[in-house]
Amino acid sequence: MSRCLGERGIDHVVLERGEVANSWRTERWDSLRLLTPNWQSRLPGFGYEGDDPDGFRTMPEIIAFIERYATAISAPVQTNTTVTSVRGADPGYLVTTDRGDWRCRTVVLATGACNIPRIPAVAEAVPAAVAALDPMQYRNPDQLDEGGVLVVGASATGTQIADEVHRSGRPVTLAVGEHVRAPRTYRGKDIEWWMDAAGVLDERYDEVDDIVRARKVPSFQLAGSPERATLDLNALTGIGVRLVGRLAGIRDGKAQFSGSLRNKCALADLKMGRLLDTIDAWARDHGLDGEVEAALRLPPTRVEDSPPLGMDLASGEIRTIIWATGFRPDFSWLEVPVFDRKGQIRHDGGVTEAPGLYLMGMQFLRRRKSALIDGAGDDARDLSGHLAAYLDGRTAAAERVL
Ligand SMILES: Cc1cc2nc3c(=O)[nH]c(=O)nc-3n(C[C@H](O)[C@H](O)[C@H](O)COP(=O)(O)OP(=O)(O)OC[C@H]3O[C@@H](n4cnc5c(N)ncnc54)[C@H](O)[C@@H]3O)c2cc1C
């Protein structure tokens, strides 16, 4: 957004509570690599120029990449400045920080979709003898006691942590709810390449049937590894991870798992098949059938006949629970009445109801890719156009920009 505002000659400042790339520096586990390939982290005027476009950045590499970008575009970042409140101050807004106040006509909320781990209420019933961690506290398996680990949640974070922890010799049980399965590579190319090329990631928020639902879809079960390995549930059971259903409750120290595991897996297999059908149709229509490998389908997810419906957390079998149950944004400092009953910001593709207040980086904000690094550029181009027209007093023009 800073780059797009700069291009339009709009005076602005970027306030950051930590250093540039703070979330990658402070909130991720040690072994994490991006699950999007190097070529895919495209920012306005800045792409990948190395010799490994299909590789996956480590955390030090992504931090360096974002730092290089901030320098290249001379972003006016004021670091170590925490915004403590934003409120209306006719005209515009008053932004209060721990290093002084700012008055401005417009504000772009770009504080990220993943500020706080989303932990279910049942967490309160976990017996005291079992350690509990969220993905922002988790760094590596050495942190954990020896013994069994229950990982709750089987999307990108849960499957990656389950894989690493199980390989460390701590037997993992993985509680699986709704999830999105995908092969890492398909017909010889990365799945992200296909979704990018076929326009899946560009699908707009006003084109999908149910945007409320689309914004809640969990992340793909994907990991970025040098081996380009698929990290689905079959890969995990292949190394000995045990699958159970969604964690439904904990009573008297006993975890209760939903009986829906088989159905959830069948649904994920079905949806993966639909995605691959879309890709196959696109490949056929674009004359790629002769150039890429033949279409194939992965075997269905293997589920044991009677997965356990309960587990005694007080028995000592499970020493640690890791809550990989998603993240949510933190707007506790936003004092502008733009929230719905569930506490989420009401917006139309990032344009809030408060004039001059914009939102970025949320799940499916304007496009399916909006919450990816690669999605920021297109959204910033659109929203900076709206913001520029608003500053010019051209409200009708602002609507047309979108
Ligand atoms: C575990 C994990 C893995 C991910 N892997 C990928 C991936 O492989 N590829 C990909 O494209 N995306 C990935 N993402 C999504 C990724 O976080 C986003 O693509 C990207 O970080 C979005 O950038 P952002 O600037 O919107 O948010 P963030 O990177 O979260 O940046 C928000 C910034 O706002 C700052 N901030 C927050 N509150 C305040 C405040 N009150 N005052 C001042 N500053 C504040 C934060 O310090 C932070 O630096 C992953 C996310 C997670 C959680």
Side-chain angles (χ1 to χ4, degrees):
M1 179 56 101
S2 177
R3 159 83 188 226
C4 294
L5 294 175
E7 274 176 354
R8 293 173 183 275
I10 298 173
D11 189 23
H12 65 281
V13 63
V14 182
L15 302 179
E16 166 56 55
R17 64 183 168 186
E19 299 295 328
V20 168
N22 182 55
S23 53
W24 301 106
R25 285 174 199 276
T26 62
E27 295 174 350
R28 310 283 190 259
W29 59 96
D30 297 344
S31 66
L32 180 65
R33 286 173 180 261
L34 289 196
L35 55 75
T36 42
N38 291 335
W39 59 262
Q40 200 182 8
S41 295
R42 295 164 290 203
L43 293 167
F46 205 71
Y48 183 72
E49 287 174 353
D51 56 7
D52 186 19
D54 294 324
F56 302 95
R57 287 186 176 90
T58 61
M59 288 306 98
E61 287 166 348
I62 185 67
I63 293 164
F65 172 74
I66 295 176
E67 274 181 333
R68 274 202 307 281
Y69 186 60
T71 306
I73 65 165
S74 305
V77 186
Q78 184 167 315
T79 53
N80 298 305
T81 305
T82 301
V83 173
T84 52
S85 81
V86 172
R87 62 180 87 112
D90 203 15
Y93 297 92
L94 175 67
V95 177
T96 304
T97 81
D98 58 356
R99 293 178 63 195
D101 295 352
W102 293 80
R103 276 184 171 273
C104 45
R105 287 183 62 197
T106 64
V107 173
V108 180
L109 307 169
T111 43
C114 302
N115 305 123
I116 302 178
R118 199 188 282 276
I119 312 276
V122 294
E124 284 175 15
V126 174
V130 178
L133 285 180
D134 65 49
M136 290 186 179
Q137 296 165 328
Y138 175 80
R139 286 289 173 271
N140 56 60
D142 294 344
Q143 239 179 319
L144 313 181
D145 287 342
E146 295 298 328
V149 177
L150 173 63
V151 176
V152 184
S155 294
T157 297
T159 51
Q160 290 181 30
I161 293 179
D163 183 56
E164 171 168 277
V165 169
H166 193 84
R167 288 176 192 276
S168 78
R170 295 163 181 82
V172 167
T173 303
L174 180 61
V176 180
E178 183 191 350
H179 58 276
V180 185
R181 183 183 181 201
R184 179 72 263 181
T185 56
Y186 182 63
R187 304 185 71 178
K189 292 185 177 290
D190 196 277
I191 192 73
E192 295 283 348
W193 184 89
W194 285 112
M195 289 197 289
D196 182 58
V200 174
L201 295 172
D202 286 318
E203 199 177 355
R204 279 179 57 107
Y205 75 112
D206 45 11
E207 285 171 358
V208 290
D209 292 339
D210 183 352
I211 186 61
V212 176
R213 165 94 191 109
R215 285 182 173 146
K216 287 189 193 150
V217 171
S219 58
F220 277 76
Q221 287 174 336
L222 281 179
S225 67
E227 301 77 33
R228 322 189 63 73
T230 292
L231 185 60
D232 58 7
L233 298 178
N234 282 354
L236 290 173
T237 50
I239 61 168
V241 170
R242 182 157 210 204
L243 306 183
V244 292
R246 187 174 167 276
L247 179 63
I250 300 175
R251 194 163 297 163
D252 301 328
K254 295 193 175 56
Q256 300 161 333
F257 302 113
S258 156
S260 63
L261 178 63
R262 188 173 294 280
N263 285 347
K264 295 281 186 222
C265 292
L267 195 61
D269 290 350
L270 186 81
K271 287 186 178 168
M272 177 177 70
R274 279 194 213 136
L275 173 66
L276 300 183
D277 289 347
T278 303
I279 288 172
D280 290 340
W282 184 87
R284 190 183 54 241
D285 294 349
H286 288 76
L288 285 187
D289 273 351
E291 289 175 31
V292 295
E293 291 171 12
L296 60 81
R297 292 293 174 266
L298 270 56
T301 303
R302 293 185 302 271
V303 178
E304 62 182 286
D305 285 340
S306 308
L309 296 175
M311 176 184 268
D312 186 359
L313 295 177
S315 72
E317 184 189 345
I318 296 293
R319 303 296 304 275
T320 310
I321 293 188
I322 299 179
W323 299 106
T325 34
F327 301 90
R328 62 185 174 86
D330 175 13
F331 289 116
S332 55
W333 41 270
L334 181 62
E335 297 175 27
V336 184
V338 286
F339 295 99
D340 65 17
R341 275 183 300 124
K342 292 191 170 153
Q344 292 178 342
I345 295 185
R346 276 191 303 266
H347 67 94
D348 183 7
V351 180
T352 77
E353 291 162 7
L357 186 69
Y358 298 89
L359 179 64
M360 282 196 62
M362 297 296 128
Q363 196 72 8
F364 223 135
L365 181 96
R366 297 188 59 75
R367 298 171 173 83
R368 196 178 291 281
K369 65 184 178 187
S370 283
L372 294 178
I373 294 166
D374 198 50
D378 283 345
D379 288 3
R381 282 183 202 99
D382 292 350
L383 291 172
S384 63
H386 191 287
L387 187 153
Y390 169 74
L391 285 179
D392 287 351
R394 293 180 290 129
T395 312
E399 297 312 324
R400 275 205 305 280
V401 166
L402 300 177

